Amino acid sequence: MNEGLGHARNPYDDVPYRSLPIEWTAPERLALTSMLHGGPRLSLGSYRVLELGCGDGSNLLPLAYYRRNATFVGVDASAVALRAAKAHQEEAHIANVGFLHADILTADALLEGTFDIILAHGVLSWVPADVRDALLGICARRLAPGGLVYLNYNALPGWNVRGMVRDFLLAQTAGISTLRERTTRAQEAAAAMAASFGASVDDHPYSRLMERDFRFVVESDPTYVAHEFLSTENHAYWRSDFTALTARYGLTHVAEADFNYPWSRVPDGLSRQLAEANLRGRSADDTLDLVSYRQLCSPILTHAPFTPVAPSHDELSSLIAAASLAPLPHDGSGTRLYRHASGFEVEAKDGAVGAAFERLAPLWPRGLPMRELFADTAAFLDDFRLLHRHGLLDLRLCEPAHDAPPSAPLNACEARWGGYATSPYHVRSAQQ
C-alpha cells in the first residue's frame, strides 16, 4: 500500500493511495488457510497483528473494530495517510489499534515485542532492494513462533506484459512535473492505446491482450495507476526467486492466502499433468505460474523449518460451514441442484448435503458447525473442502463478533470515508 516506504520524499503524500479492506488478510481466513494446508495452527483467542504499509487504515481499522480481543499496530511512512488513519480511528472510537509514523528502514527500532500476524499488502514489489530486505528482516525478527506473515508481490510471467505497459506509460509521462498530472496523462495515453489495439482488424491474441491491459489502466482508480504504473520502483518475481529470497530470512511458504479465489486457483490436475508430461521450467511452481499466466501472488509464510501436518478429522469436523446456495426447481426425479450467486450450480447427490444447503441458506452469512449439519461428518468433509476451494461455500474456524461494539458504527464512518461498508467477515460492499 505504500511504495515510498524508506525514503524521505514520499509520493503517497502527494497522491494519497485509495486503500481498501483486503478480504483474505482477516486473521480467521489466514488461520483457516494455514490449517487446511498443514501450516501452523494460529490461536484466535488473543493475538497481535502488525501491518507494514497500512496507509489510511482502511484495512486495519475494520479488522480491529470487529476483533476487540486482539491488538493491532499499523506502520506507514506517509504523514498524510497516517493523519487520515488516526482521524478515522477517532471517529469510529476504535481503541485496540495504534499507528506509527515510520519508514521500513527505521520501523523496527520503534516496534515492541512480537506479532502473531504480520501483514504487508502492496509493499514488497514497490520498494527498492534495501527497503525490501529491511521489510523481510522485520518479518523474521518480529514474527512470534508459529505466527503467520502475509505478503504479496507482482508475479512473473504475467507482469512481463504489465511491465511493458508501465514502461510505455513512464515514457509517455516523462518530464511532466507532478504525479497527479502524470497520472492523468497516463490514463489518457492508455485509453488511446486501448482504442488502437481494439481497432486492430487482425484480431490477433496479442492485440486483445494489450487492449485488455491498457484498458485495465483506464478503468483503474487514478491513485492505483499513480503508484502501480508510475512508481520509480516496481519489481516482479518468479515464484522460485521469491522463495529463495524469503528463505534467506528463515521464512517458508505455507499457502496462498487467496487460494480459493478465481485468479489464484490452480486448475484441478494441472500439476499432475505437467509432471506426467515432463514439462518443467525453472521450477515446478514457476511452470504452474507460466501456464496460469500468474500476475500477482499473495503467499502466507512462517518461520522455517516447519513440517506440514495435515488437518485432523476432529479439526475439520469443528469447522463452521456457511453457504447461500439457492435450490433450483425440482421435478422429483434425480438429484437436487443449487445455484450460487456467481451462477455456478452445485449438485447435491446425497440428501443430507441438500438438507445442509437448505439449513444454511437462510442463515447466510452466518453458518453452522459441521457437526450440527451431519451425524457423520467424515462422509462429507472432502465435498465441503472442495466447494470451499472453488469459492462456492465458506469454511470458518470461528464466527467473528456480529454485534456492534459500543462505539460509533463503523459502516456509517466507512460510507463517509469511501462509500463502502466492511462486514465482520472483512468483506467490502458498496454503499449508496
Side-chain angles (χ1 to χ4, degrees):
M1 293 181 180
N2 197 331
E3 160 262 322
L5 291 169
H7 295 278
R9 181 175 177 80
N10 196 319
Y12 288 81
D13 286 336
D14 297 331
V15 178
Y17 187 76
R18 183 173 184 262
S19 302
L20 293 168
I22 308 300
E23 290 182 28
W24 45 95
T25 64
E28 303 84 19
R29 288 178 180 256
L30 296 173
L32 173 69
T33 299
S34 178
M35 186 268 279
L36 291 177
H37 292 83
R41 276 47 166 184
L42 189 67
S43 171
L44 295 173
S46 177
Y47 54 93
R48 301 185 75 213
V49 178
L50 169 66
E51 183 171 26
L52 298 167
C54 66
D56 65 6
S58 294
N59 188 57
L60 205 60
L61 287 170
L63 289 178
Y65 182 84
Y66 291 112
R67 296 158 185 85
R68 298 301 170 105
N69 57 308
T71 303
F72 298 81
V73 176
V75 175
D76 205 278
S78 168
V80 171
L82 280 192
R83 278 198 297 271
K86 292 176 180 179
H88 293 167
Q89 177 190 10
E90 183 176 355
E91 182 180 356
H93 302 293
I94 303 173
N96 58 328
V97 61
F99 294 101
L100 293 176
H101 183 206
D103 60 44
I104 294 294
L105 294 176
T106 59
D108 193 47
L110 301 176
L111 295 170
E112 296 181 359
T114 60
F115 297 86
D116 303 286
I117 296 173
I118 299 178
L119 309 173
H121 183 86
V123 180
L124 191 93
S125 279
W126 299 267
V127 293
D130 60 333
V131 180
R132 177 203 66 194
D133 292 345
L135 167 70
L136 293 173
I138 291 174
C139 292
R141 289 187 296 273
R142 295 292 177 176
L143 184 65
L148 301 175
V149 173
Y150 163 86
L151 301 174
N152 78 330
Y153 62 93
N154 283 338
L156 297 173
W159 246 88
N160 277 329
V161 174
R162 290 271 169 93
M164 291 191 296
V165 171
R166 174 176 176 265
D167 288 345
F168 174 81
L169 296 177
L170 287 172
Q172 279 285 301
T173 59
I176 298 177
S177 59
T178 71
L179 183 55
R180 291 186 184 276
E181 292 172 328
R182 290 175 61 214
T183 301
T184 299
R185 174 56 189 149
Q187 291 191 291
E188 291 171 349
M193 291 295 286
S196 176
F197 280 111
S200 174
V201 296
D202 61 7
D203 202 36
H204 192 280
Y206 175 77
S207 298
R208 301 288 75 81
L209 177 63
M210 296 306 295
E211 178 189 8
R212 186 187 72 180
D213 274 51
F214 275 110
R215 182 65 56 192
F216 175 77
V217 175
V218 177
E219 296 173 354
S220 293
D221 186 274
T223 67
Y224 174 81
V225 175
H227 300 296
E228 182 74 34
F229 289 93
L230 302 180
S231 165
T232 57
E233 304 286 345
N234 199 313
H235 309 279
Y237 298 88
W238 282 104
R239 193 184 298 251
S240 60
D241 291 333
F242 174 82
T243 299
L245 174 64
T246 54
R248 285 167 32 197
Y249 293 86
L251 300 171
T252 188
H253 183 267
V254 175
E256 293 299 304
D258 54 352
F259 79 100
N260 59 336
Y261 289 76
W263 55 84
S264 188
R265 193 178 300 131
V266 177
D268 293 336
L270 179 57
S271 296
R272 176 181 51 79
Q273 294 170 17
L274 293 172
E276 289 176 352
N278 196 29
L279 295 173
R280 179 180 174 126
R282 295 158 48 98
S283 73
D285 284 337
D286 289 353
T287 305
L288 276 175
D289 288 349
L290 176 64
V291 174
S292 303
Y293 191 57
R294 178 80 71 175
Q295 293 180 301
L296 188 75
C297 282
S298 298
I300 300 172
L301 309 171
T302 193
H303 286 299
F306 98 95
T307 301
V309 177
S312 67
H313 175 269
D314 187 62
E315 287 177 312
L316 295 173
S317 297
S318 299
L319 294 177
I320 294 168
S324 59
L325 295 162
L328 295 177
H330 186 236
D331 60 7
S333 63
T335 57
R336 294 297 303 265
L337 291 176
Y338 296 81
R339 179 169 292 159
H340 188 262
S342 64
F344 283 96
E345 295 179 0
V346 177
E347 182 181 16
K349 295 181 179 180
D350 189 294
V353 173
F357 291 162
E358 294 185 20
R359 287 186 67 188
L360 291 172
L363 299 176
W364 178 261
R366 295 174 183 261
L368 290 173
M370 290 287 291
R371 287 195 175 101
E372 289 188 27
L373 292 172
F374 303 107
D376 177 16
T377 59
F380 306 104
L381 286 173
D382 287 344
D383 289 341
F384 271 48
R385 287 187 69 179
L386 182 65
L387 290 171
H388 176 71
R389 185 162 71 86
H390 286 272
L392 301 173
L393 177 146
D394 277 4
L395 292 178
R396 301 172 186 150
L397 288 169
C398 61
E399 290 279 20
H402 282 260
D403 54 321
S407 65
L410 173 72
N411 292 158
C413 296
E414 289 180 318
R416 293 191 293 274
W417 304 340
Y420 62 86
T422 308
S423 77
Y425 301 100
H426 210 51
V427 176
R428 175 174 53 91
S429 59
Q431 296 286 296
Q432 298 300 325

